[in-house]
Amino acid sequence: MTLKEVDVENGIEKAYTPDSGSLPEETFGVGDNLSAKLQRFAGKCKIEQRGVERVLEHERTDRHSINACTMWLSANMSVNTLALGALAPVFGLGYVDAVLTIFFFNIFALFPVAFFSSLGPHFGLRQMVISRFWFGYHAVKIVAFLNIIACVGWSAINILVGAQILHAINNDVPSWAGILVFTIGTFIVTLFGYNVVHFYERWSWIPAFTISLIILGEFARSGNFANLPMGSGKAEAAGVLSFGATIVGYAISWASVAADYTCYQPVDRNRLKIFLWTYLGTAFPLCFLQMLGAALITATTTNPAYEEAYKESSVGGLLGAVLIPPLGNFGRFCLVVLSLSVIANNCPNIYSVSMSLQLLARQSQRVPRFVWSFIATLVVIGIAIPAYSNFVSVLQNFLLIIGYWLAIYVGVAFTEHFVFKRGLSGYVVQYFDKPGKLPPGFAALTAIGFGVFGAVMGLAQAWYVGPIGKKIGLPGVGGDVGFELAFGFTTVSYLVLRWVERRRFGSFEHKLSSTMESRASETKSTVMDSDEAPSPFRPALLIIDVQEDFCPPNGSLAVPNGRSIIPTINTLLSLPFLLKIATKDFHPADHISFATNHRAPHNQPFISHTTITNPSDPSESYSTRLWPVHCVQGTPGAELLPDLHLHRLDHVVEKGQDRRVEMYSAFSDPFGVATSALAGILRDAGVSHVFVVGLAFDYCVLCSARDARKEGFETFVVREGTRAVEPGEGWERAERELGDAGVGMVALEGREIEWVRRWRG
């Protein structure tokens, strides 16, 4: 859901999508396990650390909407695209009908790609993660698995074409050598992540397009083009449908990764602009090169040299026959450069496959993105080398299979988006990792089964012809309508099944959509409408320890991305809470929690622990972690952040002043030795509900919220207003403990904050 944040001071509205559930990039290296160590190494090497985690607004560094065009312009301005057009005679098509098939089927197939690409800026999520909103948290893993197969398979097939070109230039170059060149080149580009991939794709289309024009010119000058006649009747219809299925399978293959390359775009990026740039960047190279490939292949019917070259090295040999005889060494140079377009074509596959692998399980998500890319590269090498000798049959069959599953994917996604969610208003973005807030997935799984059934019914391949496919074209050959039937069966079945699922299990999405439609226009913010506030309702805001020493870049105990919560807290400070209270750690220099106050070797910050004994009862004790020196009385590190709207505070409560005990909670230490005045302040004002924000979620916020609940106050923690020392395991542990204590986790646009907005005392 897109909201409007209001700058009360300046009266400015700003569109935004809440960042709750997201992890700031600097948190990926926190911890001592192998994954954290790899992430820290990646950070030092400027390698993108983020995988399937949502991209926060302040990390949206891709400011050029044209990148949505150049990304796909380069990825498709590849010799592999040309090779696809050269398959037209396999389906019995002439040149004119092949060109028409290429044009119309591409125009149709690219709509989902451009549409999904336009979702990236709004969600800040990868394509497979967005798919959770359509398939559910668990069922999407099946989709991710299919996407893994697709990305790895496409990578292997793409590399085969490049290897064939190198072999056509020099017969002494073994196939495995070319395969290694292209796989290693692709991995190097994708290793560094989103920005480097976009930088490479921004320019790599230029040499590929230039050489394609040279090929077109030389081929036209050679006079070897043969305008093969169109067919007619059932055979022609079957050929068009089957070749069209291949075209669609290639074009729509980008649909399962499209948003991966726009998720770093600003949230307020114009979606229509992204759609059009993506559409242009895919449609032009696909149509141009496939039509060129369809033209080149016609020469094999009239020129024995072309025919022999194609038999020897497939498309690589065909291109060699066009360029090398008239241009000599320059022609060979052009082929070498053109072969490198395989890298641009493969980058989306190797980069995006890591996201699908991370999505399979919590354990796989802990494996860094770049490690998965490396593993996928090894698998691609293992597939491509033995597949080299059977390129045409492998390509044709693989493309059709890919087209079938993507037809099913699009059928579910479009039906859920347009029919049940009714557009973007039906989404709450920060629920992307909340299984209970997503569709159960039963309808999607069953619809997938219906889609597979439709594909089987319409299949028409050498190894199988389905019952419906048999009725198209010549007997025994048929025409392939598997894609169309897979999409149709999936869409119709999902319409019925999802309706039943929503009736049976209830629908958070439906409730949200209805609420959005019935809301009146708002002047200060746009939030989810909700139930009326409970009675009594007298809310207080508790801001925990938002101090210099807890915030980067200079804090001695900096919580990752600690400063990013300031806009949320200032927004809350502008609301009509009964009380607005900030707390401060205010330690003496000899505080027991400081590692420097303990003897070596047991004085390592973050690692070492100490035992704290109850000064009033030595039989009571507990172990606690040691920290760097922080928030010492009278030092700049103990000050509240000046960017907070401090003038709106009613009270500032100091804590942690007793050197003998650790006081994470703003109410008291675990023994009750050191107690603040906070509980009395809240009771004296008649507060009923406490909303907690601040630092750090897994320590002081956790303990303060838990104690507020123990004191009898209804207590909530606002997700967007806190950050954890350990964003992964620490955050999850804190959420569990708060849930057990009866403390609610709420969103800035949730119903509980809406109660505060409406409250007038």
Side-chain angles (χ1 to χ4, degrees), residues 194-260:
Y194 183 97
N195 288 333
V196 174
V197 169
H198 268 291
F199 178 81
Y200 184 82
E201 304 282 16
R202 191 177 304 146
W203 306 107
S204 62
W205 67 273
I206 297 175
F209 181 56
T210 302
I211 293 168
S212 298
L213 292 177
I214 294 174
I215 293 171
L216 176 61
E218 287 298 326
F219 183 66
R221 193 164 63 91
S222 71
N224 287 310
F225 171 72
N227 188 6
L228 301 180
M230 293 176 57
S232 60
K234 293 184 177 180
E236 173 70 2
V240 167
L241 288 171
S242 297
F243 184 50
T246 306
I247 295 296
V248 170
Y250 188 89
I252 205 173
S253 65
W254 301 124
S256 60
V257 301
D260 293 2

Side-chain angles (χ1 to χ4, degrees), residues 84-351:
L84 183 66
L87 291 176
V90 174
F91 299 94
L93 299 185
Y95 181 68
V96 173
D97 46 351
V99 166
L100 293 173
T101 302
I102 288 168
F103 178 78
F104 286 107
F105 278 81
N106 271 315
I107 294 302
F108 162 76
L110 291 175
F111 180 85
V113 180
F115 177 77
F116 292 147
S117 180
S118 73
L119 298 180
H122 177 80
F123 288 94
L125 295 169
R126 313 291 184 168
Q127 185 66 43
M128 284 293 104
V129 183
I130 295 175
S131 303
R132 286 174 173 171
F133 290 103
W134 309 321
F135 291 86
Y137 187 87
H138 298 291
V140 79
K141 295 176 182 180
I142 296 175
V143 178
F145 178 73
L146 292 171
N147 197 46
I148 292 166
I149 296 174
C151 289
V152 171
W154 273 118
S155 296
I157 286 175
N158 295 340
I159 285 167
L160 294 177
V161 179
Q164 289 168 350
I165 292 179
L166 293 183
H167 183 72
I169 298 170
N170 186 342
N171 290 335
D172 295 330
V173 176
S175 59
W176 60 264
I179 290 170
L180 288 178
V181 167
F182 299 121
T183 51
I184 293 172
T186 303
F187 174 69
I188 291 173
V189 176
T190 57
L191 169 65
F192 292 93
Y194 183 97
N195 288 333
V196 174
V197 169
H198 268 291
F199 178 81
Y200 184 82
E201 304 282 16
R202 191 177 304 146
W203 306 107
S204 62
W205 67 273
I206 297 175
F209 181 56
T210 302
I211 293 168
S212 298
L213 292 177
I214 294 174
I215 293 171
L216 176 61
E218 287 298 326
F219 183 66
R221 193 164 63 91
S222 71
N224 287 310
F225 171 72
N227 188 6
L228 301 180
M230 293 176 57
S232 60
K234 293 184 177 180
E236 173 70 2
V240 167
L241 288 171
S242 297
F243 184 50
T246 306
I247 295 296
V248 170
Y250 188 89
I252 205 173
S253 65
W254 301 124
S256 60
V257 301
D260 293 2
Y261 303 96
T262 55
C263 62
Y264 278 83
Q265 293 269 347
V267 69
D268 57 356
R269 178 71 74 209
N270 185 286
R271 290 182 59 233
L272 178 59
K273 184 181 293 186
I274 294 295
F275 178 94
L276 294 175
W277 275 128
T278 303
Y279 202 93
L280 175 64
T282 47
F284 173 70
L286 288 178
C287 291
F288 170 66
L289 286 181
Q290 287 170 8
M291 291 176 184
L292 178 59
L296 295 179
I297 198 66
T298 64
T300 60
T301 62
T302 59
N303 189 317
Y306 279 65
E307 182 181 12
E308 184 63 29
Y310 186 70
K311 287 180 179 179
E312 176 67 22
S313 298
S314 192
V315 172
L318 185 62
L319 294 173
V322 174
L323 292 179
I324 294 176
L327 300 178
N329 287 334
F330 178 70
R332 292 184 175 88
F333 170 78
C334 289
L335 287 178
V336 171
V337 174
L338 185 62
S339 69
L340 294 176
S341 66
V342 169
I343 295 176
N345 191 225
N346 249 10
C347 280
N349 295 312
I350 296 300
Y351 178 76

Side-chain angles (χ1 to χ4, degrees), residues 57-58 60-65 67 264-266 268-269:
E57 275 199 61
H58 75 277
R60 307 285 187 90
T61 54
D62 187 357
R63 299 295 174 182
H64 305 288
S65 57
N67 283 347
Y264 278 83
Q265 293 269 347
D268 57 356
R269 178 71 74 209

